[in-house]
């Protein structure tokens, strides 16, 4: 974080909900934040405040929703 650049690979779940607020604050303070996450998740959704890089996974959102 000292260089002002952060690469974040979050785990899906409640940790992301708390982490997202911290990342938004860091972004407001001038840090460059890039979040790498799978395309299919429970809570990690694209954000206009953060740079999001999504990668493909072998399950669809519909299949994930059916499992849950």
């Amino acid at each position: 974080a000292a260089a002002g650049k952060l690469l974040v690979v979050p785990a899906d779940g409640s940790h992301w909900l708390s982490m997202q607020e911290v990342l938004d604050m860091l972004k407001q303070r001038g840090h460059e934040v890039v979040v790498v996450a799978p395309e299919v998740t429970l809570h990690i959704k694209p954000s206009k405040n953060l740079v999001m890089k999504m990668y493909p996974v072998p399950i669809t959102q519909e299949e994930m929703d059916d499992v849950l």
Side-chain angles (χ1 to χ4, degrees), residues 17-37:
L17 300 175
S18 300
M19 184 188 306
Q20 190 173 14
E21 291 180 34
V22 173
L23 296 176
D24 284 338
M25 289 174 34
L26 289 170
K27 175 74 174 169
Q28 290 173 7
R29 293 181 183 184
H31 293 273
E32 183 180 338
V33 180
V34 176
V35 179
V36 178

